[in-house]
Amino acid sequence: MFADRANLFHMENTQRPTATEATRPNGIVERLLADKHSLPLSIALHLVPGALIVAVYALIAAPFIRAIDAPIFAAWAIALAVVLFPIQFGLLWLGRKRTGRYSLRGVLHYLDKPFSRGKITAIGIGLMVYMTVVSFSLVPLDTLVYDAAFTWIQYEGAGPSATTYLDGYSQQSLIITLLICLPFTGFTLPLIEEYYFRGFLLPRLPQLGKWAPLFNTVLFSVYHFWAPWTVLSKIVFLLPGVWFVWWKHDIRASIWMHPGSALLATTGGLIAVSMGLM
């Protein structure tokens, strides 16, 4: 009898999970929603979307756009949308898994709004102007890097100039395409990138401490596989905003900076094309 009890006690203890096992994330949802991503997982989550965007562009979007003789930058808009919209839905789906409804709450961090609307607007506008001015001022750096290491990349529209992808198309075609793309490449897609990279991935790197913003910025810059010559300049003009979001836990700053700058640049480009300046 005592032997039976001893055997039963031994079986219960061998089958009972340890404290470490009980708290270890099980399954993809738990791993994604964990407070800390492992570095290999984080690197993959940063870079795989960029690889998918290039694949969609090369295999689907570019052939389609060439077939209808539209400006090639529309192919990148399509590729970005095909990859980023499912990512946004994936974040909402994770929210449903955590809260029971489709929501970004519980999935994204840095949503607590520690600053007043007026103060974050002023900060955001400053970051937006900084990103816009610095990104254009660093075009010579992009040119230097492109000429030194990336002239072998010869897809249509490739090059360090911010307007290379506009060359060779009629004004009417450019205006129509820019108007169609404006709501997407000018705001919605950069907004999804901020939700994903700054709201979802950045907060889950506590093991890196103060280096997390740099890690996130570098990988986000590399994620743009279609323009590797811009990695250095992207790090320069993105890092202040990313660091501020990490420091103050307010994602609105980078939303002002990145989608705001994209909207400003795209709108400015549309106006310039309409006036015959480009």
Side-chain angles (χ1 to χ4, degrees), residues 225-242:
F225 288 119
W226 53 95
W229 53 89
T230 66
V231 168
L232 291 178
S233 62
K234 279 184 170 63
I235 293 171
V236 173
F237 64 70
L238 286 169
L239 184 56
V242 176

Side-chain angles (χ1 to χ4, degrees), residues 28 31-32 36-47 201:
I28 187 63
R31 290 182 182 276
L32 291 174
K36 182 175 77 171
H37 289 160
S38 68
L39 291 184
L41 175 61
S42 186
I43 291 171
L45 291 174
H46 277 83
L47 298 183
L201 296 180

Side-chain angles (χ1 to χ4, degrees), residues 12-28:
E12 288 177 347
N13 277 276
T14 55
Q15 293 174 0
R16 185 181 301 149
T18 65
T20 302
E21 291 171 338
T23 58
R24 184 182 300 154
N26 294 311
I28 187 63

Side-chain angles (χ1 to χ4, degrees), residues 113-126 250 252 256:
K113 301 180 180 180
F115 293 101
S116 67
R117 183 178 299 176
K119 189 170 184 179
I120 197 63
T121 298
I123 294 170
I125 290 174
D250 196 331
R252 293 176 297 171
W256 266 102

